[in-house]
Amino acid sequence: MNLLVTGGCGFIGSNFVRYWLGQHPQDQVVVYDKLTYAGRRENLHDLWNDPRLELVVGDIGDLALVRQTCQTKNIDLIVNFAAETHVDQSILGPLVFTETNVRGTHVLLEVVRELGIRLHHISTDEVYGHIRDGHQSVETDELAPRSPYAASKAAADQLVQAYFITYGLPVTITRGANNVGPYQYPEKAVPLFSTNALLGEPLPVYGDGQQMRDYAHVYDHCTGIETVLLRGEAGQVYNVGTGREMTNLEMVDIVLTTLGKDYALVKHVADRPGHDRRYSMNVEKLRRLAWEPRYDPKEAVAEATKWYAQNEWWWSPIRSGEFREYYDRQYAQRLAEGGAQ
Ligand code: NAD
Ligand code: TYD
C-alpha cells in the first residue's frame, strides 16, 4: 500500500510512521505536513534515508496540492493526523483550529471523494466533553465538546461521518485518549512536567489537579489504528485508550518519582477556562477486533518520562527556542500569582 500520512512530522504521526514501516516493510509512506511549530523533521530523524519514506511540505487545506500528491504518488489510503492539537493554544488563538481541523479535514474528504481513496481520520476523546462519574463514553454517545480545540475536532469527526452516510465513502475514525510517549511537543502536560522537572522549574498544575485523564501510550494508539485499518468496518468509529484513568496529581507523582525529583516543584496555578474534569472511554469495541493495549496508564507515563530524561537532544532546542514565548504567555502570570489547591 501507498499511505499518505498527514501530520506525520508531529507526535503521534511520527510514531505511527515508524511503527507502520516496521510492521509493513513493503509499504511506501508519504508524509504530508505543513511543519508548524509542532511538526518537526527530527521526529523522523532515523528514517529520512529510508527509500520507503518521503516528505511533502504542504497544508491539508491546499486542495490542489493534496490532490496532486495523491495522484502522483498513487496513494491508496490517507491517515489524517494533521491538526492543531493543544487546548491552551486554542484558547489563546482559536481561528487556526477551525481552518486546519475543520476545513483541512473537509478538503481531504473532497479529494477522497474525487479519487476514491480510503481515509482514516484521527479524532479524540475530547469530542465527548467531560464525563460524569460512573460513565465511560461509547462511540454512539452524543458529542459535547467544550473547548475550541474539541469543537473543531468534533466538527471534523462529524464531517467524516456525514461523508460516509451521504457518499458511502470508505472512511473510518478512531477517537484517541490522551497520548504520551516519545516526541510529544512540550506544551502538553507530561512532556512539559518532565522537562520542567529536569530543568528544576516548577510544574504548573491547573486548579486542584484532580482532573482525570486516560494517559495511554502512543504505541497502543498506533496498534489501535493499525487494527482498524486492517479489520475495521467502513463508516465505524472506534475508541482507543486504556479504559482507565488517573488524576493529574497522580500523573505528576509518577513523573517526579521516575525522575527522582521533589514534590516541592509542584505549583498549583489558575485553572484552564472551561477545563474538562474527566475523560473516560469504553474501548470494548476495539477489543472485539482482537486489540489489547500493552501499557497501563502508570507504565505509559513512567515510560514517557524516561524518554525525556534520555533525550535532551530532542527537547532542549525546543525549550530554549520559540517555545519560550508561548510558555511566558501561558504561564508567567499564573506562576507569579499561584492558584487555589
Ligand atoms: P501534534 O501537534 O504533535 O502534530 C500535529 C502535526 O500536524 C504537526 O506535524 C503539524 O505540522 C501538522 N499540521 C498542523 N497543521 C497542518 C496543516 N494545516 N496541514 C498539514 N499539516 C499540519 O499532534 P499530535 O498530538 O500528534 O496529534 C495528532 C492527531 O491526533 C491530531 O489530529 C489530534 O487531534 C489527535 N489526537 C491527539 C491526542 C494526544 O494526546 N496528543 C489524543 C487523541 C487524538
Ligand atoms: P494536556 O496534555 O494539555 O491534554 P488535554 O488538555 O488535552 O487533556 O493536559 C492534560 C491535563 O493536564 C489536563 O487536565 C490539563 C492539565 N495540565 C495542567 O494541569 N498544567 C499544564 O501546564 C498543562 C499543559 C496541562
Side-chain angles (χ1 to χ4, degrees), residues 3 15 95 153 268 287:
L3 282 73
N15 276 282
L95 270 182
K153 292 296 291 185
H268 288 266
R287 279 207 167 95

Side-chain angles (χ1 to χ4, degrees), residues 86 126 178 187 189 192 204 206 213 215 248 272 275 331:
H86 190 43
E126 306 202 18
N178 282 60
E187 63 192 354
L192 181 81
Y206 294 152
R213 296 290 186 269
Y215 290 103
N248 284 335
R272 171 188 280 172
H275 196 169
Y331 295 106

Side-chain angles (χ1 to χ4, degrees), residues 81-340:
F81 295 92
E84 291 292 335
T85 61
H86 190 43
V87 173
D88 294 324
Q89 303 263 20
S90 86
I91 295 168
L92 293 172
L95 270 182
V96 67
F97 285 72
T98 310
E99 192 57 37
T100 288
N101 300 359
V102 185
R103 189 178 170 279
T105 304
H106 202 169
V107 164
L108 296 181
L109 284 163
E110 276 299 284
V111 173
V112 158
R113 181 161 84 93
E114 183 184 332
L115 303 181
I117 301 170
R118 179 174 173 192
L119 172 74
H120 179 74
H121 176 72
I122 312 300
S123 187
T124 167
D125 60 358
E126 306 202 18
V127 300
Y128 294 117
H130 66 179
I131 306 305
R132 68 176 192 278
D133 287 348
H135 182 66
Q136 292 204 304
S137 307
V138 291
E139 290 82 351
T140 47
D141 282 357
E142 274 187 25
L143 306 190
R146 293 165 25 92
S147 71
Y149 164 65
S152 68
K153 292 296 291 185
D157 187 312
Q158 293 189 317
L159 269 171
V160 175
Q161 294 190 61
Y163 267 57
F164 173 75
I165 293 164
T166 308
Y167 303 110
L169 294 186
V171 293
T172 41
I173 296 174
T174 41
R175 294 186 183 140
N178 282 60
N179 275 214
V180 296
Y183 306 105
Q184 185 169 30
Y185 196 78
E187 63 192 354
K188 307 290 190 329
V190 169
L192 181 81
F193 291 168
S194 300
T195 54
N196 273 18
L198 288 161
L199 291 165
E201 290 187 24
L203 276 52
V205 170
Y206 294 152
D208 63 4
Q210 295 301 326
Q211 305 83 5
M212 310 214 53
R213 296 290 186 269
D214 173 352
Y215 290 103
H217 199 282
V218 65
Y219 172 87
D220 289 320
H221 196 182
C222 292
T223 61
I225 296 165
E226 178 190 42
T227 301
V228 172
L229 291 179
L230 299 178
R231 298 191 287 283
E233 199 184 314
Q236 292 294 309
V237 179
Y238 300 87
N239 292 341
V240 191
T242 72
R244 279 179 274 175
E245 320 105 68
M246 66 173 85
T247 65
N248 284 335
L249 284 183
E250 286 172 313
M251 174 268 281
V252 164
D253 202 42
I254 297 169
V255 169
L256 291 172
T257 308
T258 305
L259 297 175
K261 300 284 181 183
D262 200 286
Y263 200 80
L265 284 173
V266 171
K267 176 135 182 140
H268 288 266
V269 299
D271 210 348
R272 171 188 280 172
H275 196 169
D276 287 339
R277 200 72 185 157
R278 175 173 177 260
Y279 298 139
S280 181
M281 289 191 299
N282 175 311
V283 294
E284 292 310 312
K285 185 171 175 184
L286 188 58
R287 279 207 167 95
R288 287 198 290 276
L289 297 184
W291 169 88
E292 196 60 45
R294 177 188 281 183
Y295 297 91
D296 74 24
K298 287 182 184 149
E299 292 166 336
V301 172
E303 283 302 308
T305 303
K306 278 185 219 158
W307 190 85
Y308 295 95
Q310 290 158 5
N311 289 278
E312 194 176 336
W313 70 269
W314 182 81
W315 57 263
S316 185
I318 298 175
R319 294 283 322 223
S320 54
E322 65 190 12
F323 180 74
R324 229 31 267 174
E325 196 191 315
Y326 162 74
Y327 191 83
D328 288 346
R329 215 170 144 208
Q330 179 65 16
Y331 295 106
Q333 197 180 345
R334 278 191 163 86
L335 284 167
E337 288 173 352

